[in-house]
Amino acid sequence: MGSLSTIGIVTCRNPEIEHLDKHGYLFGHPIAHSLSPLFHQTIFDALGLNWDYLLLPSTDIGQFLNLIRDRRCYGSAVTMPNKVAILPHLDAMTPECSAVGACNTVFWRDSKLVGANTDTIGIRESFYQNAPDDVFRDKPGLVIGGGGAARSAVYALVEYMKCKTVYLVNRDPSEVEATVANCKAQGYGDGLVHVSSLAQAESLEAPGAIVACVPNCAPVTESEWEVRRIAECFFKKSRKGAMLEMCYHPVIWTELADIADRAGWIVIMGTEAMIYQGFEQARYWTGKDMADLPVQRVKDVIMEELIRVRLQTGPPKNTRRRHSLVV
């Protein structure tokens, strides 16, 4: 597929679909590194479906809407930078999609285009599938970072994991203010606490669940260093919990994951969130229950791909493992 850029909109040639019974897309840009096509094709193949999940490296909403109106389209995944831009074009939204204000999945119901946010499910299941419930039950949550990923994390911690208090740590106070305002407006932000200094972090109860939504970059500015110091303060508290590291590209073992691991925390890789949000997408598209989906086969395939990539790029600096990768 060749790509073209016109007046800031990235578009691409329409994928070939005539040989398929059904099809869907991954709509976003850039998306070449995504594991989602491998993930969903593994499901379709295991179910014996002549379906495909096609890359659509585009920001052209008009092109996308035209393509998914094809009667053979089961739906699509929507990723950055289109998660918010797609909202005005939906006929309906699931509760979590509306509350978070971002859509990563569309599907058809009764001829209506419905938007969902399965990122919230991916975050929830990452914890429940990889850490004992008592590690985070009835304890504060913590979200490091901002933007749509942070809102999804807050929603999962508050609505699914019942964290009455959620700490927010971010280098940009205005992003925290925007997150708090959005969550409060949607009815799940009353327990949010902006942690803006090391001294404040030292005075607070240890969280049981942390969701890290920041790139794998070493701190440079003073505000970035303060975020790192606050995170390390929480890691060093006597009671340990579980941290979900949402960043898994280009490496699956990040600097922040290493710090948490060394401090005694359960570290859950971002591939877990990708896998469980993907199974939720597959449920919408295929109508199958989790029990009918090839869960272990998909996990094995993703693990094989991660190992292949790791062999090409080299092992992480720290080879100790007290966490789950994708099993």
Side-chain angles (χ1 to χ4, degrees), residues 101-285:
C103 168
N104 79 320
T105 305
V106 296
F107 59 96
W108 292 100
R109 288 294 181 271
D110 300 323
S111 300
K112 292 184 177 181
L113 184 64
V114 182
N117 186 304
T118 67
D119 290 334
T120 58
I121 305 296
I123 292 168
R124 180 192 72 189
E125 290 304 302
S126 294
F127 284 100
Y128 281 109
Q129 298 293 335
N130 291 283
D133 178 66
D134 59 3
V135 167
F136 47 81
R137 186 178 62 241
D138 300 324
K139 299 176 180 66
L142 165 63
V143 177
I144 305 173
R151 293 197 300 274
S152 295
V154 170
Y155 185 90
L157 291 170
V158 173
E159 296 296 325
Y160 298 143
M161 298 169 65
K162 305 304 178 185
C163 295
K164 295 181 180 178
T165 301
V166 175
Y167 308 140
L168 299 179
V169 179
N170 191 10
R171 65 180 182 178
D172 185 350
S174 66
E175 281 196 357
V176 175
E177 293 172 4
T179 298
V180 171
N182 179 85
C183 295
K184 283 188 173 181
Q186 296 296 329
Y188 62 99
D190 289 343
L192 301 186
V193 176
H194 181 196
V195 182
S196 58
S197 70
L198 177 60
Q200 182 184 5
E202 290 172 340
S203 70
L204 294 171
E205 178 186 358
I210 297 176
V211 184
C213 309
V214 290
N216 183 35
C217 301
V220 176
T221 67
E222 176 55 29
S223 60
E224 290 170 346
W225 274 112
E226 187 70 354
V227 168
R228 175 62 60 84
R229 288 190 288 264
I230 291 170
E232 290 180 339
C233 173
F234 283 121
F235 292 146
K236 290 176 182 177
K237 290 182 183 286
S238 58
R239 191 185 71 224
K240 309 302 181 180
M243 185 188 84
L244 171 61
E245 171 55 278
M246 293 290 283
C247 180
Y248 63 90
H249 180 80
V251 296
I252 61 173
W253 185 250
T254 66
E255 189 173 315
L256 197 62
D258 193 56
I259 295 170
D261 180 61
R262 290 178 183 277
W265 281 63
I266 297 169
V267 178
I268 305 166
M269 296 292 89
T271 46
E272 286 286 278
M274 183 272 288
I275 282 172
Y276 285 105
Q277 71 80 26
F279 283 132
E280 187 71 2
Q281 290 178 321
R283 290 200 323 113
Y284 280 126
W285 297 335

